[in-house]
Amino acid sequence: MKTLLSSFICCLLFFDTSAKDGYGLWLDYSPVENPQLKTQIDPLFSGFFFFGESPTYDVIRKELDIAGQKMLGKTPIYSKERLAQSKVWLGTREQLSQVLGLQQQVDIRDLGEDGFWMGPIDFQGKTYFTIVGNRPIGVLYGVFDWLKTIQTGAFDPRLQKSDSPKVRLRMLNHWDNLDRTVERGYAGFSIWDWHKLPGYIDPRYIDYARANASIGINAVSLTNVNANARILTTDFMKKAKVLADIFRPYGIKVFLTARFSAPIEIGGLKTADPLDPEVIAFWKNKTDEMYSFIPDFGGYLVKANSEGQPGPHEYQRNHAEGANVLADALAPHDGILIWRAFVYSHELDEDRHKHANLEFEPLDGKFRENVIIQVKNGAIDFMPREPFHPLFGAVKSTNLGIEFQITQEYLGQATQLVFLAPMWEEVLRSRTYRPTSASTVAGIIDGSDSGQKLTLMAGVSNIGTDRNWTGHLFGQANWYAFGRQAWDHSLTSAQIADEWIKMTFGQKPEVLSKINEILLGSHEAAVNYMMPLGLHHIMGWDHHYGPGPWVTGGRPDWTALYYHQADSMGIGFDRTASGSDALGQYAPELVNAYADPNQIPEKYLLWFHHLPWDFEMKSGKTLWEEIGLHYDQGVKTARKMKESWSSLESEIDPERFDHVRQLLAVQVSEAEWWRNSCLLYFQTFAKRPFPEEIEQPEGDLEYYKSLRFPTAPGIRPRW
Amino acid sequence: MKTLLSSFICCLLFFDTSAKDGYGLWLDYSPVENPQLKTQIDPLFSGFFFFGESPTYDVIRKELDIAGQKMLGKTPIYSKERLAQSKVWLGTREQLSQVLGLQQQVDIRDLGEDGFWMGPIDFQGKTYFTIVGNRPIGVLYGVFDWLKTIQTGAFDPRLQKSDSPKVRLRMLNHWDNLDRTVERGYAGFSIWDWHKLPGYIDPRYIDYARANASIGINAVSLTNVNANARILTTDFMKKAKVLADIFRPYGIKVFLTARFSAPIEIGGLKTADPLDPEVIAFWKNKTDEMYSFIPDFGGYLVKANSEGQPGPHEYQRNHAEGANVLADALAPHDGILIWRAFVYSHELDEDRHKHANLEFEPLDGKFRENVIIQVKNGAIDFMPREPFHPLFGAVKSTNLGIEFQITQEYLGQATQLVFLAPMWEEVLRSRTYRPTSASTVAGIIDGSDSGQKLTLMAGVSNIGTDRNWTGHLFGQANWYAFGRQAWDHSLTSAQIADEWIKMTFGQKPEVLSKINEILLGSHEAAVNYMMPLGLHHIMGWDHHYGPGPWVTGGRPDWTALYYHQADSMGIGFDRTASGSDALGQYAPELVNAYADPNQIPEKYLLWFHHLPWDFEMKSGKTLWEEIGLHYDQGVKTARKMKESWSSLESEIDPERFDHVRQLLAVQVSEAEWWRNSCLLYFQTFAKRPFPEEIEQPEGDLEYYKSLRFPTAPGIRPRW
């Protein structure tokens, strides 16, 4: 026993010194400690039987190898015959048709192409734990779900469970440039090493695919929407093909961004006019070539006529004409064209908030069937909090997908712990009142309210070369949450947090409850110390790091002043009928509710209203006082998060503990910096004292304004 | 026994799945398998006693913790008292003066500030294994050396060993930009995360310091010689201070690159004239400020008046006047000014080979005592093979340091296994015949021939964010070899290879012999398939990736044609008296030997001579035939390296095996690409058939010339 124990300690030491750097994500598969669970699981790993073969089954075996070794110290045994030795059955509905009941087969069929069922099957006097999908990928999803029940201590051998995703395309958008810089990337650089492809395959590509498949992500766009046409050259197709081959058994399709001017840049044409026959032929030939390398290529993602990107407007064509030429090239291959709605004209003539609706509503019904319009969750730009985008519910015959930003451009970047699931949940559950009075954003994008068949939830990736993938270890929770919400938007943030914590840090009650509280309070804290009560777009110039309510110069709609409109009279952007009337783009129910500053939820107050500093809030305090209280509350919550984490020192391995400890200290100082500089700045207009009950903002406004951050990461590339 | 075994397998599995990604470098401390060695070592780890305290002793304890756990599965015990429990004594000569003999103390003192002695000491009837330095850092060096004896199976408890470095500054030069790109970096991006400093300390900084200290590196310049003045602002000093604090206990001093025009760019002055009183004051104040943050700051490294960098020539001042203003600012703090000799005027008026000597010889004796002129190993630019730089031996009263390039800009970049130690060894042992007929390059830079006290060997770092630090796993061997050669240039490449292989891959004879052969033959192979027989500078434009003998356009001395001079008559650069007479800058002994194409070592033939295609070589074959044979031989050796590695599949862990396997396949195809395109290109001048006995070059020259590599890494930043 003594030798056993010392060997086990040796084992743990080895493990601890090498593995707790966060690389393993939620798939680190901690050893199963609960003896009862171990007793239940261990025999299952001695008899996996596959009803057939598939490259996806090969990767399932790889995953079971890893999980078995890490959770049980055991190499799984794959049975060659179906009955005597086998304990776990895996295969498609069709492969298992002889052992499934008829009703069961119908039920499983109805789960759709990505669904799965798992549970015990009694057959000839023996019980087999069975995982079935309609396709091999469904089996993989089922296996990951089953492994999760072990990781979270929820496994029950009598468990019966079926699940299927609500959205067809669950997609990551990488804003990765070909030189490996990442626009708005805060986790190092691009994991795509284009130079070494196709000759060298980084093992990380495989772990990336594993992680995505484990949460149901089935599409990835590899390149920045501010696109480089070179990705569509033959050399780069050969490189992308290698990635597509790696991702295929994991059920992940590759998309690429298409630069609208590619016909000129790499096609040698004089125009990119979408109605020009040579341009049409360019896109057709280019796309045919792409499919010769990647037969299941997903399609193109396009940002056009936005922020300097080329597009159809140069040729007096509209977005539908621009999108359809690419869509037509893709259609014979069942490819999909995703066209972004994040557009606003360069010559500013009114509230930027309204532009997407003004441009896209008139085009409703004009896009091909294989086009999806990808709409950001809000009308401005991934602010810490935005009301949902008014395009949701405004069109009837256009496929709409939603785009969230997982990377924390406006939510703390490289250094802050901000769990985004509550924000996404808030958006998805927002009522649009269109097409029906019960409609929600989620119901539109999953088709249940809108009727659309082609559905999409996209997230701008927060993944980079940092060892832990996401820079901040807790950025992993956002990647995880995005996948889970894209799969099933009815999951709550709390449920998702609970899963992630258990898979990442284990199941100790104290760890679970404290980290849960940290996660679930973090978004509201960030909104409070950055942009409370509907304030928006008051961050630093260009790099967007830290506060910049004083930012002026250049395009008005790239300044802070344009958005907060602070003056001696008050603060906020009047988007009611007396102002820009952006509010008028929403359903009448919302217009009615939001037009009145006393009725609108206060979290959106200054988004839609310009109000006097002494405006009376629901609390009875003035607007000025409430602004101060919110900023101060944000700082206090950040400090509490830091203290709460510190109390877990004995429960978390030193490397991850210290990583998060250091970053929470930075977060507190950044929260104080936001509070102090915003309040000092707004005070120059409000000319009122700070509420007595808050910690008085410290420092010198001129000092804060003088700060420069030349090495802030993630700046947009410049051509 | 069964449970013990299964636990041990569990342990190995854990270990294998997580630790073999190369992050551990040569400090991965494999478990000691030899039972006799284990018996000898194990008790020592139960009783370390330090004769005093020092931050360096704290990091020694950390290292012993890691080594003990990894090699023995054991946490070391640090004894509180000197006698009863202790087994290993550690401390400085002064601290151990009561237990060391008088002669022993004298001997140790003579080892200098970085030397150490280790061996058994008998005291009051008991034997203590003892490691002594003159300073705590000497103890650290001794501990690393002792651990190496364990790692390589060479430990002998009766061992007595003393060692000390031959060169005072053993330095890495990082060409890292503040935005984390790395000029000529092929291992990802800069490990310095300036944005997150000073708030966040990446644990990698500590592992970097450990690795450097373990091979005796004691100075690092953090920033690119194509410098950004911003590194000298207060904000960045605060960041650099954090790194300096981490490195200090490891004996590593921080240097920074100083942009000569910094007085204008960050000082608000109108001039950077080194004789201007305001400029003098700027450098003094700036330097004083630096030392207020980093009291042991090493000094500045400057590239001036070279490749577009600003310098004293703009003000009609010479290099000495430029260097001395910075040296004077550093002198009160014992700082050192390192000034690069890699200069060549923008208006080309003669052979670039001669420029450094033309500029620096007249300044001999004019530099301050705390200035070192850092000279590249050869006069052109880190070519696959160069004769030593003619400045070595040409000056008498100037401190000269040597600069090697560890990063493989011209030697295979990200994808090739090329062990550089043989190349460096060749340079260091080259006879300069000055100041004495027995002088060598090594004797000049270590002071033994030149008499200089301030000595330096610098290497341009090959370190980046890639998990294994160096991109190619075998890049680690070059980092290791550089440190070892800087410590002791009398070590042979074979000795160094032997150490590194054992520490990295273990001691199996087959592994050792095959990898040794691969390493030691790899440099000659690369020379053969890239630039044999003295050919040079015929690589791709700008990114320097792959062959480009056809490169023309722009500055003549940045083209290939300028260097190979191929025409219908022959090939090679005539640098004898009938040509540029660059040869005349060497000692007469070399001039005599090299002026005759029949006497000069053939490896330098085309470096110094333009010769007809039918020139008869020592083999009796023509020059044209020998060129073909060399290119072909290079390809064949690369293939043999690949085959030899493949035969080790069962001996190497899968992750590292496959990493190297993939890259060797790329290397073979790149070698073929070099051979085919260079031979096809030169054939257009030679108009002769290829030798029959070689594999005939394949492909179409126009195709090779059309290749473009827009994502080749490591391009110089552009301002």
Side-chain angles (χ1 to χ4, degrees):
Chain A
M1 191 58 201
K2 189 166 168 282
T3 43
L4 169 62
L5 192 67
S6 78
S7 286
F8 187 63
I9 286 167
C10 143
C11 172
L12 285 179
L13 286 171
F14 275 106
F15 189 62
D16 272 1
T17 49
S18 57
K20 291 298 183 192
D21 52 23
Y23 183 79
L25 296 164
W26 50 88
L27 298 178
D28 215 22
Y29 299 118
S30 300
V32 174
E33 282 169 9
N34 178 332
Q36 195 199 331
L37 179 60
K38 201 167 175 171
T39 311
Q40 288 174 335
I41 295 302
D42 199 276
L44 299 183
F45 273 80
S46 298
F48 292 106
F49 178 75
F50 287 86
F51 282 68
E53 272 316 320
S54 154
T56 294
Y57 296 166
D58 294 338
V59 304
I60 290 176
R61 276 186 283 265
K62 262 196 217 166
E63 197 64 31
L64 293 171
D65 286 350
I66 297 170
Q69 285 164 10
K70 291 201 149 199
M71 296 197 301
L72 303 167
K74 167 167 185 167
T75 305
I77 298 168
Y78 301 102
S79 174
K80 288 220 169 64
E81 53 79 59
R82 197 170 94 180
L83 298 177
Q85 322 252 299
S86 74
K87 307 279 198 309
V88 179
W89 281 354
L90 303 124
T92 62
R93 175 175 49 87
E94 208 169 321
Q95 287 163 342
L96 272 82
S97 57
Q98 296 186 349
V99 298
L100 293 171
L102 283 182
Q103 183 55 43
Q104 205 171 18
Q105 292 188 47
V106 171
D107 292 346
I108 292 171
R109 190 198 63 203
D110 290 348
L111 293 168
E113 56 177 8
D114 290 348
F116 62 85
W117 175 88
M118 73 171 95
I121 286 186
D122 297 323
F123 190 81
Q124 298 183 355
K126 210 178 134 189
T127 302
Y128 301 88
F129 190 79
T130 306
I131 302 175
V132 195
N134 285 305
R135 300 187 303 159
I137 186 63
V139 184
L140 178 64
Y141 290 147
V143 167
F144 274 119
D145 201 75
W146 173 61
L147 291 172
K148 179 161 64 183
T149 66
I150 305 171
Q151 290 173 280
T152 58
F155 177 71
D156 177 345
R158 292 151 307 177
L159 171 84
Q160 288 204 40
K161 180 180 175 181
S162 63
D163 202 359
S164 63
K166 294 195 164 47
V167 167
R168 179 166 147 197
L169 285 173
R170 307 169 297 277
M171 182 173 194
L172 287 186
N173 288 182
H174 290 267
W175 286 358
D176 292 18
N177 301 309
L178 302 186
D179 66 0
R180 302 190 70 180
T181 57
V182 180
E183 183 168 338
R184 310 312 176 186
Y186 309 103
F189 293 83
S190 174
I191 59 173
W192 316 128
D193 189 344
W194 294 108
H195 177 65
K196 286 210 203 104
L197 285 169
Y200 180 75
I201 295 175
D202 189 328
R204 192 161 196 158
Y205 302 148
I206 298 160
D207 290 324
Y208 166 86
R210 290 174 52 221
N212 277 335
S214 77
I215 51 176
I217 287 171
N218 67 348
V220 295
S221 169
L222 301 173
T223 46
N224 194 351
V225 289
N226 290 320
N228 186 329
R230 208 184 291 274
I231 190 67
L232 304 179
T233 60
T234 309
D235 276 358
F236 278 83
M237 288 185 192
K238 289 179 186 165
K239 297 168 188 274
K241 172 195 161 49
V242 172
L243 296 175
D245 289 344
I246 294 167
F247 300 162
R248 188 170 296 111
Y250 290 95
I252 297 166
K253 284 195 179 183
V254 162
F255 287 67
L256 294 171
T257 49
R259 188 162 160 90
F260 198 79
S261 51
I264 301 170
E265 289 153 357
I266 61 167
L269 302 185
K270 292 225 160 58
T271 178
D273 181 349
L275 302 193
D276 182 281
E278 285 192 305
V279 172
I280 293 169
F282 168 85
W283 285 114
K284 182 187 180 309
N285 294 336
K286 191 44 78 183
T287 305
D288 290 346
E289 186 188 7
M290 186 71 78
Y291 279 91
S292 75
F293 290 105
I294 308 175
D296 56 351
F297 179 64
Y300 301 123
L301 168 63
V302 182
K303 173 178 180 177
N305 288 125
S306 172
E307 299 184 324
Q309 290 301 301
H313 290 183
E314 277 90 289
Y315 309 97
Q316 291 72 54
R317 313 296 182 194
N318 63 37
H319 283 290
E321 289 166 319
N324 289 344
V325 63
L326 283 86
D328 287 343
L330 289 159
H333 308 282
D334 294 323
I336 292 167
L337 192 276
I338 304 175
W339 192 267
R340 288 173 95 238
F342 181 64
V343 298
Y344 52 98
S345 55
H346 200 71
E347 288 79 33
L348 185 78
D349 52 3
E350 55 181 321
D351 185 0
R352 169 174 152 189
H353 199 293
K354 298 165 69 177
H355 287 204
N357 281 53
L358 290 174
E359 294 208 43
F360 284 89
E361 283 192 61
L363 299 175
D364 193 20
K366 302 239 163 79
F367 291 95
R368 297 283 188 269
E369 278 184 11
N370 64 333
V371 173
I372 304 175
I373 304 302
Q374 181 169 300
V375 187
K376 289 190 182 182
N377 59 275
I380 297 301
D381 190 12
F382 298 135
M383 291 295 105
R385 164 171 280 136
E386 293 200 37
F388 73 86
H389 198 298
L391 258 181
F392 295 114
V395 292
K396 290 176 180 170
S397 310
T398 304
N399 299 318
L400 294 189
I402 196 164
E403 175 178 327
F404 289 124
Q405 194 181 41
I406 311 172
T407 189
Q408 294 168 237
E409 176 177 1
Y410 301 103
L411 280 148
Q413 301 197 350
T415 39
Q416 296 189 19
L417 187 171
V418 183
F419 185 48
L420 302 178
M423 179 175 75
W424 299 331
E425 188 183 351
E426 185 175 295
V427 173
L428 290 166
R429 298 185 182 194
S430 291
R431 285 181 67 184
T432 60
Y433 298 96
R434 300 184 294 198
T436 75
S437 64
S439 294
T440 60
V441 172
I444 287 165
I445 63 144
D446 75 4
S448 59
D449 288 327
S450 60
Q452 66 185 71
K453 297 274 175 287
L454 203 49
T455 56
L456 162 71
M457 196 184 294
V460 181
S461 155
N462 64 345
I463 296 163
T465 51
D466 276 4
R467 181 62 181 168
N468 67 13
W469 300 85
T470 51
H472 198 305
L473 183 75
F474 276 73
Q476 297 181 358
N478 291 327
W479 181 5
Y480 183 84
F482 170 76
R484 296 291 291 138
Q485 286 187 327
W487 179 277
D488 183 359
H489 54 69
S490 77
L491 290 167
T492 66
S493 303
Q495 285 174 297
I496 295 170
D498 184 77
E499 286 178 9
W500 181 78
I501 299 165
K502 285 177 177 161
M503 292 165 88
T504 306
F505 292 108
Q507 297 165 47
K508 287 185 194 161
E510 196 198 347
V511 172
L512 195 57
S513 73
K514 283 194 172 163
I515 299 183
N516 207 291
E517 193 187 343
I518 289 172
L519 280 171
L520 295 178
S522 60
H523 173 253
E524 202 62 42
V527 170
N528 280 335
Y529 62 67
M530 290 179 181
M531 309 185 199
L533 294 167
L535 286 171
H536 53 286
H537 212 286
I538 58 172
M539 63 289 159
W541 173 257
D542 200 27
H543 51 59
H544 300 166
Y545 174 62
W550 46 75
V551 167
T552 54
R555 285 177 64 159
D557 62 339
W558 285 1
T559 68
L561 212 61
Y562 175 92
Y563 294 98
H564 65 63
Q565 307 255 337
D567 56 26
S568 62
M569 308 296 292
I571 186 169
F573 197 131
D574 183 0
R575 293 194 168 103
T576 66
S578 63
S580 76
D581 201 24
L583 180 57
Q585 291 179 332
Y586 289 92
E589 291 89 335
L590 281 173
V591 176
N592 290 338
Y594 287 9
D596 177 355
N598 291 304
Q599 272 195 63
I600 189 171
E602 285 186 346
K603 61 186 176 181
Y604 298 141
L605 186 66
L606 303 177
W607 191 280
F608 289 108
H609 293 277
H610 186 81
L611 295 170
W613 296 107
D614 289 329
F615 174 79
E616 190 182 330
M617 302 288 285
K618 294 199 175 76
S619 64
K621 293 183 190 293
T622 67
L623 171 59
W624 167 248
E625 288 168 331
E626 277 292 343
I627 290 174
L629 287 163
H630 276 76
Y631 273 103
D632 197 55
Q633 184 56 47
V635 171
K636 282 179 178 144
T637 310
R639 286 186 191 146
K640 206 177 150 207
M641 288 160 62
K642 175 168 170 277
E643 280 156 29
S644 181
W645 180 263
S646 293
S647 72
L648 293 173
E649 179 157 14
S650 60
E651 309 293 336
I652 312 270
D653 54 285
E655 187 168 345
R656 292 191 299 178
F657 175 80
D658 199 55
H659 165 83
V660 177
R661 182 193 60 72
Q662 288 191 68
L663 289 173
L664 283 169
V666 173
Q667 182 165 358
V668 167
S669 68
E670 289 178 346
E672 291 166 349
W673 169 37
W674 268 98
R675 179 197 60 190
N676 295 350
S677 28
C678 290
L679 288 183
L680 290 169
Y681 171 77
F682 289 131
Q683 194 183 38
T684 65
F685 301 100
K687 300 191 192 303
R688 284 159 174 78
F690 299 113
E692 271 178 28
E693 59 266 52
I694 74 168
E695 197 177 293
Q696 299 297 299
E698 286 179 348
D700 169 6
L701 180 60
E702 291 312 308
Y703 166 73
Y704 290 124
K705 289 167 79 168
S706 77
L707 294 175
R708 294 292 176 274
F709 302 94
T711 53
I715 301 294
R716 297 183 54 196
R718 299 180 201 294
W719 288 275
Chain B
M1 190 59 201
K2 185 162 169 284
T3 42
L4 170 61
L5 192 68
S6 76
S7 287
F8 187 61
I9 287 167
C10 142
C11 173
L12 285 180
L13 287 172
F14 274 108
F15 189 62
D16 273 1
T17 49
S18 57
K20 292 298 184 190
D21 52 22
Y23 183 79
L25 296 165
W26 49 88
L27 298 179
D28 215 22
Y29 299 118
S30 299
V32 174
E33 283 170 8
N34 177 331
Q36 194 197 334
L37 179 61
K38 199 166 175 173
T39 310
Q40 287 172 337
I41 295 301
D42 199 276
L44 300 183
F45 273 79
S46 297
F48 292 106
F49 178 75
F50 288 86
F51 282 66
E53 271 317 319
S54 154
T56 294
Y57 297 166
D58 294 336
V59 305
I60 291 175
R61 275 186 285 264
K62 261 196 218 165
E63 197 64 32
L64 293 171
D65 286 349
I66 296 169
Q69 284 165 9
K70 292 200 148 200
M71 297 196 301
L72 304 166
K74 168 168 183 166
T75 306
I77 297 168
Y78 302 102
S79 173
K80 289 223 167 66
E81 54 78 60
R82 197 170 95 183
L83 299 177
Q85 322 253 301
S86 75
K87 306 279 198 310
V88 179
W89 281 354
L90 303 125
T92 62
R93 174 177 49 86
E94 209 170 318
Q95 287 163 344
L96 272 81
S97 57
Q98 295 187 349
V99 299
L100 294 170
L102 283 182
Q103 183 56 43
Q104 205 172 17
Q105 293 187 45
V106 171
D107 292 345
I108 292 172
R109 190 198 62 207
D110 290 348
L111 294 169
E113 56 178 8
D114 289 348
F116 62 86
W117 174 90
M118 73 170 94
I121 286 186
D122 297 322
F123 190 80
Q124 298 185 350
K126 210 179 134 187
T127 302
Y128 302 88
F129 190 79
T130 305
I131 302 175
V132 196
N134 286 305
R135 299 187 303 161
I137 187 64
V139 184
L140 177 64
Y141 290 146
V143 166
F144 274 119
D145 201 76
W146 173 61
L147 291 172
K148 178 162 64 185
T149 66
I150 304 171
Q151 292 172 278
T152 58
F155 177 70
D156 176 344
R158 293 149 308 177
L159 170 86
Q160 287 206 40
K161 179 179 176 184
S162 62
D163 201 357
S164 63
K166 294 197 164 47
V167 166
R168 181 169 146 194
L169 284 174
R170 306 170 297 277
M171 183 172 191
L172 287 186
N173 288 184
H174 290 266
W175 286 358
D176 292 15
N177 302 310
L178 302 187
D179 66 1
R180 303 190 69 179
T181 57
V182 180
E183 183 168 338
R184 309 313 176 185
Y186 309 103
F189 293 82
S190 174
I191 60 173
W192 317 129
D193 188 345
W194 293 108
H195 177 65
K196 287 211 204 102
L197 285 169
Y200 180 74
I201 296 173
D202 188 330
R204 192 158 197 160
Y205 302 148
I206 298 159
D207 291 323
Y208 167 87
R210 290 175 51 222
N212 277 335
S214 77
I215 52 176
I217 287 170
N218 67 349
V220 293
S221 170
L222 302 175
T223 46
N224 193 352
V225 289
N226 290 321
N228 185 329
R230 207 183 293 271
I231 189 66
L232 304 179
T233 59
T234 308
D235 275 358
F236 278 82
M237 289 184 190
K238 289 178 186 165
K239 296 169 189 276
K241 173 196 159 50
V242 172
L243 295 174
D245 290 344
I246 294 167
F247 300 162
R248 188 169 296 110
Y250 290 95
I252 298 165
K253 283 193 180 186
V254 163
F255 286 66
L256 294 170
T257 48
R259 185 161 163 92
F260 198 78
S261 51
I264 301 170
E265 289 154 356
I266 61 167
L269 302 184
K270 293 225 158 56
T271 179
D273 180 349
L275 302 193
D276 182 281
E278 284 191 306
V279 172
I280 295 169
F282 167 86
W283 286 114
K284 184 189 177 309
N285 294 336
K286 191 44 78 184
T287 306
D288 290 348
E289 187 189 6
M290 186 72 79
Y291 280 90
S292 76
F293 288 106
I294 308 175
D296 57 351
F297 178 65
Y300 302 122
L301 168 62
V302 182
K303 173 178 182 177
N305 288 127
S306 173
E307 300 184 320
Q309 290 299 301
H313 292 181
E314 276 89 290
Y315 309 98
Q316 290 73 52
R317 313 298 181 192
N318 62 37
H319 284 290
E321 289 166 320
N324 289 344
V325 63
L326 282 85
D328 288 342
L330 288 160
H333 307 282
D334 295 323
I336 292 168
L337 192 275
I338 304 175
W339 191 268
R340 289 174 94 235
F342 181 64
V343 297
Y344 53 98
S345 54
H346 200 73
E347 288 78 36
L348 185 78
D349 51 3
E350 55 182 320
D351 186 0
R352 169 174 150 188
H353 199 293
K354 297 165 71 176
H355 287 202
N357 281 52
L358 290 174
E359 294 209 45
F360 284 88
E361 282 192 63
L363 300 176
D364 192 21
K366 300 239 164 78
F367 292 95
R368 297 283 189 268
E369 280 184 9
N370 63 332
V371 174
I372 304 176
I373 304 301
Q374 182 168 299
V375 186
K376 288 189 183 183
N377 59 274
I380 297 299
D381 190 13
F382 299 134
M383 291 294 105
R385 166 172 278 138
E386 293 199 38
F388 73 87
H389 198 297
L391 257 182
F392 296 113
V395 291
K396 291 174 179 172
S397 309
T398 304
N399 299 317
L400 294 189
I402 196 164
E403 176 178 326
F404 290 124
Q405 194 181 39
I406 311 171
T407 189
Q408 293 169 235
E409 176 177 0
Y410 302 103
L411 280 147
Q413 301 198 351
T415 40
Q416 295 188 22
L417 187 171
V418 183
F419 186 49
L420 303 177
M423 178 175 77
W424 299 331
E425 187 183 352
E426 185 175 294
V427 173
L428 290 165
R429 295 178 185 200
S430 293
R431 284 181 67 185
T432 61
Y433 299 95
R434 300 184 296 199
T436 76
S437 65
S439 292
T440 60
V441 172
I444 286 164
I445 62 141
D446 76 4
S448 58
D449 288 327
S450 59
Q452 66 184 70
K453 297 275 175 289
L454 203 48
T455 56
L456 161 72
M457 196 184 293
V460 181
S461 157
N462 63 346
I463 297 164
T465 51
D466 276 5
R467 181 62 181 169
N468 67 12
W469 300 86
T470 52
H472 198 307
L473 183 76
F474 275 72
Q476 296 181 359
N478 290 326
W479 179 8
Y480 184 84
F482 170 77
R484 296 292 290 140
Q485 286 187 327
W487 179 277
D488 183 359
H489 53 69
S490 76
L491 291 168
T492 66
S493 302
Q495 286 174 296
I496 294 170
D498 185 76
E499 287 179 7
W500 180 79
I501 299 165
K502 286 177 177 161
M503 293 164 87
T504 305
F505 291 107
Q507 297 166 47
K508 288 184 192 160
E510 195 199 348
V511 172
L512 195 55
S513 74
K514 284 195 170 161
I515 299 183
N516 208 290
E517 193 187 342
I518 289 171
L519 280 170
L520 294 178
S522 60
H523 174 252
E524 202 63 41
V527 170
N528 280 336
Y529 61 69
M530 290 179 183
M531 308 185 198
L533 296 168
L535 286 172
H536 53 288
H537 212 287
I538 58 171
M539 63 287 159
W541 172 259
D542 198 25
H543 51 60
H544 299 166
Y545 173 63
W550 46 75
V551 167
T552 53
R555 286 177 63 159
D557 61 340
W558 284 0
T559 69
L561 212 63
Y562 175 94
Y563 294 98
H564 65 65
Q565 307 253 341
D567 54 27
S568 62
M569 307 296 292
I571 186 170
F573 197 131
D574 183 1
R575 292 194 169 103
T576 67
S578 63
S580 76
D581 200 25
L583 180 57
Q585 291 180 333
Y586 289 93
E589 292 88 336
L590 281 173
V591 176
N592 291 337
Y594 286 10
D596 179 354
N598 292 304
Q599 273 195 63
I600 189 171
E602 285 187 344
K603 63 185 175 183
Y604 299 140
L605 187 66
L606 303 177
W607 191 280
F608 288 108
H609 293 278
H610 187 82
L611 294 170
W613 296 107
D614 290 330
F615 174 80
E616 188 182 334
M617 303 287 286
K618 295 199 174 76
S619 63
K621 296 184 186 296
T622 67
L623 172 58
W624 167 246
E625 288 169 330
E626 278 291 344
I627 290 175
L629 287 163
H630 275 77
Y631 273 103
D632 198 56
Q633 184 56 48
V635 171
K636 284 179 176 142
T637 311
R639 286 184 191 149
K640 206 176 150 209
M641 288 161 61
K642 176 170 169 277
E643 281 155 27
S644 181
W645 180 263
S646 292
S647 72
L648 293 174
E649 179 159 12
S650 59
E651 310 292 334
I652 311 269
D653 53 285
E655 186 168 347
R656 292 191 300 178
F657 175 80
D658 199 56
H659 164 84
V660 177
R661 182 193 60 72
Q662 289 193 66
L663 289 173
L664 283 169
V666 173
Q667 183 166 358
V668 167
S669 68
E670 289 177 345
E672 291 165 350
W673 168 38
W674 268 97
R675 179 197 60 190
N676 295 350
S677 33
C678 288
L679 288 183
L680 290 169
Y681 172 78
F682 289 132
Q683 193 182 37
T684 65
F685 301 99
K687 299 190 193 301
R688 285 159 172 79
F690 299 112
E692 273 178 26
E693 59 266 53
I694 74 168
E695 194 178 296
Q696 299 297 298
E698 287 179 348
D700 169 6
L701 180 59
E702 292 311 309
Y703 166 73
Y704 291 125
K705 287 167 78 167
S706 76
L707 295 176
R708 295 291 176 275
F709 302 93
T711 52
I715 302 293
R716 296 183 55 197
R718 302 184 199 290
W719 286 275

